[in-house]
Amino acid sequence: MTACPRHLRGVLIVLASLRPALAQTQTPCIDATMFPDIPNIPKLAADRTMVNISGQSVRIGVAATPSLTSRWAAEIFKVMLEEIIGYHATIEFVDTEKDAYFAVAGCGTPPASATTPFSSETTSFFESGDGRCTSPSRAHVTFEIWKTQLPWMSAITNFIAEFEAKFPQFAPQNSHTLGVTGYQGIFVQPKVYEAIWSDSSRDMRFGRSFNASWLDVSSYFSNITDIQESDLKTCSSLSKLSDPATVSNFIRHTNDTAGIDGTRFKCWNNDRWFVAPACRSDTSKCIPLITGGDGWLIESLLQQVTFYNWPVAIAVAADSSTSDTNQIYKDLVRNKDVMFYWWFPDDSFADIQDIWKGRVKLDVHSIAEWLDNKFTTETDIIQFRSYASLDLQTFFKPYGLATTLDIQGQDVEWFLREYRSRNPTPDLRSLACDWLKVKENRNRAELWVPSDKECGPGYGMVNDKGQYVAEMKDAKTCDWCVKGTNSTRKWDVTTSRPGWTHICRDCPLGRKQGSGGQMRCEVCGQGTYASERGATTCETCEKGRYQSARESFTCESCPAGMTTDSRGKINQTACICPKGKFRPCRKPDGTLRPECQCNPEHYAPAQSDACISVPEGMEAMQASDEANFPCNESSNQEGIYPKPKAGFYVSYSQPLWVYKCDNKEVCPGGYLQRCSEAAFDIACGKCEDGYFAQDGKCAPCGDVLRVPIIPIICVLMVPFILAALYKSGLEDVEMWGHPKYMWFAISYVTLIFMQTMGTNLSIMPAVPEAVDMVVGWMSILKDITSQFRIECSTTQDFALQIMGKISTPMVMAVCFLAIYVILYPTKFRLDANVFVGIYGSLFNACFIMVANICFTLFQTYKHPNGEKSVIAAPSVLTSSKSWQNMQVAAGFAIVVYCAIFAAGNLYAIIKAPSNFQYRSFRKRWKFVMLQMRPSAWWWMFVSIIKGLYLAFTTVIFDSTVGQAVWLGNGLLLYFLGVFYFLPWRNYVALGLDVFYHYMLSIFCLMLPFFAVPSEDDRSQIAGLFIAVFFIFVVIAVGLLSCLIWVQSPQAQRFFLLKFDRDSRKIVDVFHQASDEKQIKEMLLDLPDHDMSLVVQCLNLLKTEMLGIPAKGRLQWREHGLISLNKDDSRGPMPAAWL
């Protein structure tokens, strides 16, 4: 056989290592006369070049397997590469085809246990282990890698295919298939089949000619008894004959159960021969069929001789299974007239004339039958594939030679015959040289050598500028096809030497090539495209696009408004709605999609858009679909559909009709109709029985609050409040400056501040924790009646709660009146004027709270769906009947509590200048003017206007930002008014009012930072700013006009006359008011600021008239006016003045 003996392999390896040095002294094979059309040959060693790969200068290596054919082809390639093309080359001898392949790949040969490149161990071996693939590779080309579909011979084929798929960056390219093909089967000696043909004209090279029923040819062959038993193995020693699968397949396909003995094949003649059914009755008629080794291909031989009815007995030569020579087998074939198993190419019998013509032909090979373990047809042919490394592809002439070297079957027959028949056995290089010296072979070999324009696979023609060209007449040489192109074979006739070449063409639209030197462009798959010629990659379809077809140059767009969750989608079903939008159930024609199973009123109206933006207050994940809405509580809640944000509410019946909640805790969002504990209904605005609303949430009432104890306590406290205030109400104006009234003023100012702060807090979307700890409790003063917890003792009816709140001032008035009526006939009869004044003072102190209660029904906020809810009861919509039915009661409260009370105050203020001297008037309207300076007696009406202003905040504005700006402007104006008019009787109350409203103004300025302004907010604020700006422009114009008028002669005359009148009045006052006791009494009754004004006036007169310096005032005259005009008759100045 051709396998290299193990004891000689080390010698071959040593010789291989010496070949580069020996090559320097080798006699050239080729002379100039052999290839006259190729100049400058032979190229000697000094003329040859190395190849530069990955920065290293190396020889071109050829990996040769132990096969003689592989080594001879390597020698032919080496001779032509060195002596014709001019590159240094070397041959690396390897043990197996797998070694050869991985030498060309630049990798180590994986261990035998590695049956697939896809295992983690094998992957690690190639990428980072001992077999790590590197460049340059150890070898660059190999010529004999067997490819066959035979299961027991396809391991290397399968491994290579898997390696190419797993490691395309390392895998060598299958450059071409040699012309020679291998085959195996049953052979007959030429002398035997020629004798039969001569005697019977029957061609025994066709298998069916051996059918025992047609012709008995056993006499032309040796008898089985002619072969010594010692030259044959016993059947019992052959494991294949006892293999269960082999036995089972034999019976299944031949039905020859007589040939089976229990679990193994039955043998005759001392356990040496398996006898086919055709000659079992007379074994002397059996033709001997010899195979070797461990029973080469005996599985198929057993079925074939039985299936074709051959009179054949099969035996196995007695050579050791590990023998490399198989000498007994060879001797039996040479010395006996037998049929024998053999294969091509092999040199064992190559010296026998026409030996290869003796192959017995069976039915055409059926791969399906062989895969089914039916072996009655020919064996599959064996292709000899050559592989070139990726490194070699950039050198077009060596690569061209490697891809075109084509050895045919007759060439191999010649080589094997010469190798076997010559004595001594020639070396392979000399046989390569001898083959090339034959003219016909030279003519063929010359075609393997590329000219400068005959580009090989992976190359294309270029001109002298390096540009790719399509015709030889324009070409200068060949160059590697770059990425984005493919090398296409072409028959060119544009020069005097027509021939095959290759051109580099740009990849067409829809195709790409990411590597250089490739023969074809790869089709862009689904979800990708190549929009330009010469693409190196296929772009994945962008988000919002898809492509279901292959080889596309563009992608289809999703319907308008839709997108995809990632790139590279392959069909329209991947189109989804983006975040913030959802797919509607209704088609543009109004019909519902079949997957939408809820009530039709459940879904949004028909629209032309494929995706609809979610309403304000809802959010939609990517791929949200209206069809996923749960129809009711029992439906699946976890689908991808628009869901309410925290702080918003939607119901199952109207899942897109969004309501805004009081806070995020009561409406956690995430699901439809989701509320916090005990809350339900629109905007989670109602509480279940046994709960009351507190800070927007529902809190349990408890046993105490189930009885209306707080309202009862308030009613019972009325007599005590009346008694406590009645005595003070009797005191007249001379006592208004008493310190206790200062405490009344401080209490009033503080109470007003807390009510105002409560109003501010109520409009904040979220009160910071630090602020809530300090002033959060003041929010209850916006509506103290909410603390009565009427809903705990009665029902949750909104109308009843509103009526209870707006009737509170009237209930208190009835209590007061009842006390008055009860005491009227007794000696404790109350002064009616004082009684009215006390009630008015209480009402006035709580006016902001009362105004808020009156306007509760109209203090609303807007929902994203356009509806409005009452702030105090979010479940009550302004479109509901319950709200409309309460308008009359609310209007009555506004008229009585706000309009009439304000009108009464205004009446008292208007009448005060003329009626204040009457004691009854002062008692009745004491609460209006008690704390005010006489010059600002009207200021209490400003306080009432402020209360109405605050109440209107949430009536006029829906948004927090607008409300904050409205409040800030109003409180700032009030602050400026207090600062300018200084209306309070004592400085402590005045200072507190200034400080409180300064703090409130700052607080209002910070409110917008706790809310995100909407477009409506911006437009409202812009309108308010323009209005304020316009007002201040008018004021500024008015002030400028006044300044101009003051400079006019008319104004100067007016001021002179006014100064003249005022000076006479001052003189008259000082002339009349000369009683010190009276002046002292007057000063004691003056408010703080009026007293301050008197002191300032006294200091002014002392300084300007008498020339006496005053602390805190500049003196611009050296002496006063009186000092400058001093008359001795007036006497000396009083010492107290000095």
Side-chain angles (χ1 to χ4, degrees), residues 103-261:
V104 176
C107 311
T109 304
S113 59
T115 58
T116 172
F118 290 101
S119 67
S120 58
E121 294 81 6
T122 310
T123 299
S124 176
F125 175 83
F126 287 131
E127 292 182 342
S128 59
D130 296 337
R132 187 167 64 90
C133 302
T134 59
S135 177
S137 56
R138 303 195 311 273
H140 305 95
V141 65
T142 186
F143 289 106
E144 191 177 320
I145 303 294
W146 290 14
K147 180 185 179 183
T148 178
Q149 300 181 80
L150 295 176
W152 53 84
M153 298 182 67
S154 61
I156 180 62
T157 302
N158 297 336
F159 198 98
I160 289 175
E162 293 178 358
F163 184 84
E164 290 173 342
K166 178 69 174 178
F167 302 103
Q169 71 275 29
F170 303 135
Q173 183 173 344
N174 173 214
S175 56
H176 73 302
T177 300
L178 296 180
V180 61
T181 57
Y183 52 85
Q184 55 189 323
I186 301 171
F187 285 77
V188 177
Q189 288 274 15
K191 62 181 180 178
V192 174
Y193 72 74
E194 288 174 357
I196 297 173
W197 172 259
S198 175
D199 294 342
S200 63
S201 298
R202 184 175 292 275
D203 192 347
M204 301 310 293
R205 291 175 298 178
F206 293 96
R208 292 189 180 274
S209 298
F210 283 95
N211 191 319
S213 62
W214 295 355
L215 181 68
D216 179 10
V217 293
S218 60
S219 60
Y220 294 92
F221 292 89
S222 299
N223 194 283
I224 61 176
T225 59
D226 296 336
I227 300 173
Q228 297 181 14
E229 292 182 357
S230 60
D231 289 337
L232 304 175
K233 292 181 178 179
T234 61
C235 292
S236 57
S237 67
L238 298 171
S239 60
K240 292 184 178 181
L241 296 183
S242 59
D243 178 61
T246 303
V247 173
S248 173
N249 292 327
F250 177 81
I251 297 174
R252 183 161 59 95
H253 296 300
T254 66
N255 295 319
D256 180 20
T257 56
I260 305 299
D261 183 10

Side-chain angles (χ1 to χ4, degrees), residues 675-698:
C675 299
S676 62
E677 182 184 5
F680 69 102
D681 206 11
I682 293 174
C684 300
K686 282 186 178 181
C687 293
E688 297 176 358
D689 291 340
Y691 290 82
F692 66 91
Q694 183 178 42
D695 298 330
K697 296 175 288 185
C698 295

